[in-house]
Amino acid sequence: GPSMAYSCAYWDHAANLDHAQIAKFDLICRKLDLREGERLLDIGCGWGGFARYAAENYGVEVVGITVADEQAAYVRELCTGLPVEIFCGDYREFPTSKFQTCFDKAVSIGMIEHVGTRNYRTLFSAVETALRRRGLFLLHSITSPVSTEVGEPWLTTYIFPGGVLPSISQLSEAAEGLFLLQDMQNIGPHYTPTLQAWHQNFEGWWETAKPGAKPSVLGSQETFHRMWRYYLLSCAAEFAGGGSQVAQIVYSKGHLPAGYTAAR
């Protein structure tokens, strides 16, 4: 979609994919209680849609982290004139000596599914180091109803190498002693219409794209087409049947004396 967001949208009162992604961005901003002038760390910022939205609409300064040079260049151009800085590299190489306890809020949207089980604690520790006392951290992640250390074989072979879905218990263990849980919401049912919209966009592009623009896999464009169609629609069915969930979890670094009011 126009926002280039590659995670579950939020379809309450949304007329289309773009509106639903913007609704997801705004829901996250409200859950983080973003205030003008605050500093926000975005780990796994992707193509920068959320960073731009938060900076434009909530007046925050954003530091985004991505491992992809192409994404970093795209986000820098997208956010020209906004207080958005991009660090291109592994989050484990983020210069904490420079940014230690420098952020009021932190977010990670659809990224922890790609770090592997042995790095869950590492990610939480990096966020805890970066946040000021009583700072908030929102984690948006697809979750598995059972704990595992390996991903689904077909998806890890063709779509997400090394991907594995964390369970709530694995996330709780990773956060233990670092953060306090303040809120958790399952928005998994919203992923089915998101994936269906992606599939519709993909098929529309495939029908109109020039042959030379279409990617291939195993030497075949048609194989790529069938692979991507299977990926999008099988995942849509997975969420429709409740086989996986999408958790938005809000943590705090320390006790919040005034409490926390969950946004919905």
Side-chain angles (χ1 to χ4, degrees):
S3 70
M4 294 287 281
Y6 194 29
S7 55
C8 180
Y10 195 68
W11 289 83
D12 280 4
H13 311 298
N16 53 50
L17 177 62
D18 189 35
H19 292 168
Q21 291 291 9
I22 296 301
K24 186 261 301 290
F25 291 163
D26 197 69
L27 178 63
I28 291 173
C29 290
R30 290 186 288 115
K31 286 183 176 182
L32 284 170
D33 191 25
L34 291 184
R35 306 293 180 91
E36 185 173 355
E38 289 185 331
R39 287 176 57 81
L40 171 67
L41 177 64
D42 184 357
I43 300 182
C45 64
W47 300 101
F50 175 75
R52 177 178 177 175
Y53 183 86
E56 281 187 329
N57 294 276
Y58 285 82
V60 295
E61 299 178 21
V62 185
V63 174
I65 302 177
T66 176
V67 295
D69 293 333
E70 296 87 348
Q71 286 186 335
Y74 183 93
V75 180
R76 288 171 183 142
E77 182 175 353
L78 179 72
C79 297
T80 299
L82 294 171
V84 177
E85 178 183 355
I86 301 300
F87 173 79
C88 188
D90 193 299
Y91 73 96
R92 293 169 293 184
E93 300 168 355
F94 188 61
T96 53
S97 59
K98 178 181 177 182
F99 293 108
Q100 188 169 4
T101 63
C102 189
F103 294 93
D104 302 286
K105 310 288 171 62
V107 66
S108 185
I109 305 171
M111 182 269 197
I112 199 171
E113 301 96 319
H114 306 283
V115 307
T117 55
R118 67 180 180 179
N119 288 313
Y120 295 161
R121 182 72 172 186
T122 302
L123 177 60
F124 276 88
S125 295
V127 176
E128 193 273 341
T129 299
L131 277 178
R132 295 187 174 110
R133 183 169 176 250
R134 295 175 182 165
L136 296 180
F137 171 41
L138 186 143
L139 179 71
H140 173 119
S141 175
I142 302 172
T143 58
S144 169
V146 297
S147 297
T148 181
E149 294 189 358
V150 296
E152 195 281 326
W154 190 87
L155 287 174
T156 56
T157 299
Y158 295 106
I159 308 297
F160 298 121
V164 57
L165 303 182
S167 68
I168 295 298
S169 64
Q170 288 172 318
L171 295 176
S172 296
E173 183 179 358
E176 186 172 341
L178 298 175
F179 290 100
L180 299 179
L181 176 67
Q182 296 295 339
D183 182 53
M184 180 164 56
Q185 181 185 9
N186 172 31
I187 64 168
H190 293 260
Y191 222 155
T192 294
T194 302
L195 286 153
Q196 289 172 331
W198 288 345
H199 173 253
Q200 184 178 13
N201 287 351
F202 173 68
E203 293 292 354
W205 174 81
W206 192 269
E207 290 178 2
T208 59
K210 296 179 180 180
K214 296 179 180 179
S216 63
V217 66
L218 302 176
S220 168
Q221 291 183 338
E222 181 54 31
T223 298
F224 180 91
H225 185 199
R226 289 187 288 109
M227 179 186 78
W228 211 251
R229 183 173 56 208
Y230 174 77
Y231 152 56
L232 293 171
L233 293 181
S234 65
C235 287
E238 170 79 0
F239 287 98
S244 297
Q245 293 73 48
V246 178
Q248 285 191 348
I249 310 174
V250 179
Y251 303 93
S252 65
K253 182 178 176 177
H255 173 58
L256 303 178
Y260 176 83
T261 301
R264 290 291 186 268

